[in-house]
């Protein structure tokens, strides 16, 4: 149900299961760029998660998407000017009531006006009033993004605590390709929800190289079959996304994953087997500041790979004769490489542990044993099984560090978990490990 007090007051309340205490007021600012249409998907995404959305476009955004579309999708009135609905003082009220302000797409012009502290339309006035998290998702041509004026303005916004996402690389309007695309709506929504959960993504990692393995390895059995696992790669990609928006130079070494958008600005390298993973991780870690092994690595591989497809009639014999050999432990190998000086001494190495408890020990106890065995600096332990964690949207568990009690990570999106892991890594770097 949509209640409207005055025609312009922001009084939407949804009267179904989404009308819980968790419904937040999100202001979605839309600037005038071709990517404005993607803001419609963002409205949908927020609404589907039960949040109230108030779209505040600039005048020029309405050249791309009409107010009626934003009103219909959000269920809230749309205005652009501080002189609309003056009786409800909305140039102040919209910002005061917001739990998050998101600007997507943000053009070079809007970024410049925000940096200058202008309040010449409802959107910029709202940003000046808001004390909640503010997330800016830029979209413009590469030249405009790289222009020193825009870069200075972006730095100013970041210095003031505004999260300016890195633009994606790819096809732009027209024939050109480069940095400046709006990240996908779900990527923006994930970052917004991370900030709403209380984890601010500061831009403090520029100049740091972060290498993250993600997804599952596949071990060949014959030309058409492999032994694999259920890892979706979501946690590794979420870590990469958060690290990239912190300004790091991010490389993802990806095995088999579900189809996931590449985090803005990250470099993607594909691997298949555990042995490929070891080769690429050793190579990429040579100059890394942070290495995260989020991949689910097969511990064993078939000793021999059949040259031709094993026929159904011969499968029993083939399986009876199947011998498995142990794969390298990549995480341990990287810790050893750091001891030898092949990975920088200052590099922080993070492992993951997927554990199930049993009659002998709890999942946490198994994770603590694993942490001691692997020699990494930090271990994110997840309890898995019974549909938990693997392929799921959410995760939970404990962060283990030497000389510290396990830090409980409550259930949250993989981005929220990623922000917590990287927050602990950031503290370790500040303290010189
Ligand atoms: N790992 C690795 N190389 C392997 C196996 C695991 O680098 N051959 C890494 C994973 O990426 C993860 C950590 O080690 O960061 C723990 O992985 P996990 O599968 O939980 O542990 P295992 O060492 O395989 O131990 P177990 O299967 O006995 O639980």
């Amino acid at each position: 149900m949509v209640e409207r007090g005055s025609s312009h007051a922001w009084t939407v309340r949804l009267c179904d299961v989404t009308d819980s205490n968790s419904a937040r007021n999100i202001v979605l600012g839309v600037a005038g760029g071709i990517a404005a249409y993607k803001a419609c998907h963002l409205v949908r995404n927020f609404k589907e998660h039960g949040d109230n959305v108030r779209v505040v476009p600039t005048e020029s955004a309405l050249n791309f998407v009409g107010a009626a579309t934003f009103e219909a999708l959000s269920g809230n009135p749309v205005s652009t000017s501080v002189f609309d609905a003056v009786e409800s003082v909305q140039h102040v009220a919209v910002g005061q009531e917001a739990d998050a302000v998101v600007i997507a797409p943000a053009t070079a012009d809007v970024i410049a006006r925000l940096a200058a502290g202008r309040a010449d339309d409802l959107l910029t006035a709202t940003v000046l009033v808001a004390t909640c998290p503010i997330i800016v998702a830029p979209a413009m041509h590469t030249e405009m993004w790289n222009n020193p004026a825009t870069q200075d303005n972006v730095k100013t916004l970041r210095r003031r605590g505004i999260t300016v996402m890195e633009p994606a690389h790819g096809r732009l309007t027209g024939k050109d390709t480069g940095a400046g695309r709006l990240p996908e709506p779900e990527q923006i929504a994930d970052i917004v929800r991370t900030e709403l959960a209380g984890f601010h993504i500061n831009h403090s990692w520029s100049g740091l190289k972060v290498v993250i393995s993600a997804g599952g390895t596949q071990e060949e059995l014959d030309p058409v079959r492999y032994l694999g696992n259920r890892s979706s790669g979501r946690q590794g990609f979420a870590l990469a996304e958060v690290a990239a928006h912190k300004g790091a130079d991010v490389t993802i070494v990806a095995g088999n994953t579900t189809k996931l958008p590449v985090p803005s600005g990250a470099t993607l390298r594909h691997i298949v087997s555990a042995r490929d993973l070891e080769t690429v991780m050793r190579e990429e870690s040579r100059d890394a500041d942070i290495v995260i092994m989020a991949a689910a690595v097969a511990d064993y591989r078939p000793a021999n790979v059949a040259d031709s497809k094993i026929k159904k009639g011969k499968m029993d014999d083939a399986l009876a004769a199947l011998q498995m050999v142990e794969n390298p432990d990549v995480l341990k190998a990287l810790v050893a490489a750091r001891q030898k000086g092949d990975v920088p001494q200052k590099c922080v190495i993070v492992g993951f542990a997927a554990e199930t408890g049993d009659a002998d020990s709890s999942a946490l106890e198994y994770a603590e044993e694993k942490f001691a065995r692997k020699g990494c600096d930090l271990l994110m332990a997840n309890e898995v099984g019974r549909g938990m964690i693997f392929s799921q949207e959410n995760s939970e568990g404990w962060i283990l560090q030497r000389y510290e009690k396990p830090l409980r990570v409550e259930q949250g999106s993989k981005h929220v978990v990623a922000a917590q892991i990287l927050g602990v890594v950031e503290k370790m770097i500040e303290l010189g490990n």
Side-chain angles (χ1 to χ4, degrees), residues 293 295 297-299 328-331 351-355 370 373-374:
M293 280 295 302
V297 190
D299 291 322
D329 187 315
V330 183
L331 179 58
F352 269 74
E355 299 295 342
K370 186 170 288 175
R373 203 166 65 230
K374 296 276 184 178

Side-chain angles (χ1 to χ4, degrees), residues 15-73:
C15 295
D16 57 13
V17 282
T18 59
D19 190 15
S20 66
N21 292 333
S22 62
R24 281 85 43 108
N25 288 332
I26 298 178
V27 172
L28 174 57
V30 184
I34 195 89
Y37 75 94
K38 288 194 183 173
C40 300
H41 296 280
L42 203 44
V43 180
R44 269 259 154 81
N45 187 308
F46 292 136
K47 295 284 289 183
E48 280 167 4
H49 280 79
D51 292 319
N52 303 318
V53 185
R54 170 80 189 243
V55 182
V56 182
T58 61
E59 267 303 311
S60 52
L62 298 181
N63 290 319
F64 295 90
V65 180
T69 302
F70 288 135
E71 292 204 343
L73 289 172

Side-chain angles (χ1 to χ4, degrees), residues 10 13 28 44 52 65 70 92 95 108 114 162 177 192 199 217 226 271 322 329-330 339 389 424:
W10 184 9
R13 287 288 176 263
L28 174 57
R44 269 259 154 81
N52 303 318
V65 180
F70 288 135
V92 176
L114 294 177
I162 292 178
T177 297
V192 173
F199 299 98
T217 59
Y226 62 83
I271 55 92
L322 182 65
D329 187 315
V330 183
Q339 267 156 12
I389 315 293
V424 175

